[in-house]
Structure formats: C-alpha cells, structure tokens
Amino acid sequence: MGQHQKKEKTAFVTITAMGWLLAILLLFFPDLQGPTQMIEQLFKPLGKMLEKN
C-alpha cells in the first residue's frame, strides 16, 4: 500500500482488528453463537408477527 492510500489502510486495519476481536472472543467464549444465529434471534419475532397478519 502506498503512502496516499488512507482509505485502504483504514479498511485493512478495521478488518484486521475485527478479526482479532472475534478470535479473542471465541478463545474465551467457545460456545458463542455465530452471526447467522444472532440475526435469526433478532428477526424471528418479526417473522412471527408478520405471519399472524
């Protein structure tokens, strides 16, 4: 990466930090739910509400 690629560097650092955070969380909490399960829990009540109407 060149000196003037600030957006690319910011994106790289952000994605790397998120990866490290996820790795540390999974190390301490191995039974942590995956992203799909979290989204399902969020939208399940909404889906049930829409089915009733």
Side-chain angles (χ1 to χ4, degrees):
M1 281 188 248
Q3 273 184 319
H4 303 291
Q5 295 178 319
K6 291 183 180 180
K7 289 182 183 179
E8 288 83 355
K9 286 181 182 179
T10 303
F12 177 75
V13 169
T14 302
I15 293 171
T16 303
M18 287 172 39
W20 274 100
L21 178 64
L22 181 59
I24 291 170
L25 282 173
L26 287 174
L27 185 65
F28 289 108
F29 304 105
D31 295 331
L32 193 66
Q33 292 181 349
T36 308
Q37 293 166 332
M38 288 182 192
I39 291 172
E40 185 179 309
Q41 282 185 346
L42 275 172
F43 291 109
K44 193 179 231 182
L46 180 64
K48 286 182 181 179
M49 224 170 56
L50 291 174
E51 284 178 2
K52 288 180 182 178
N53 292 332

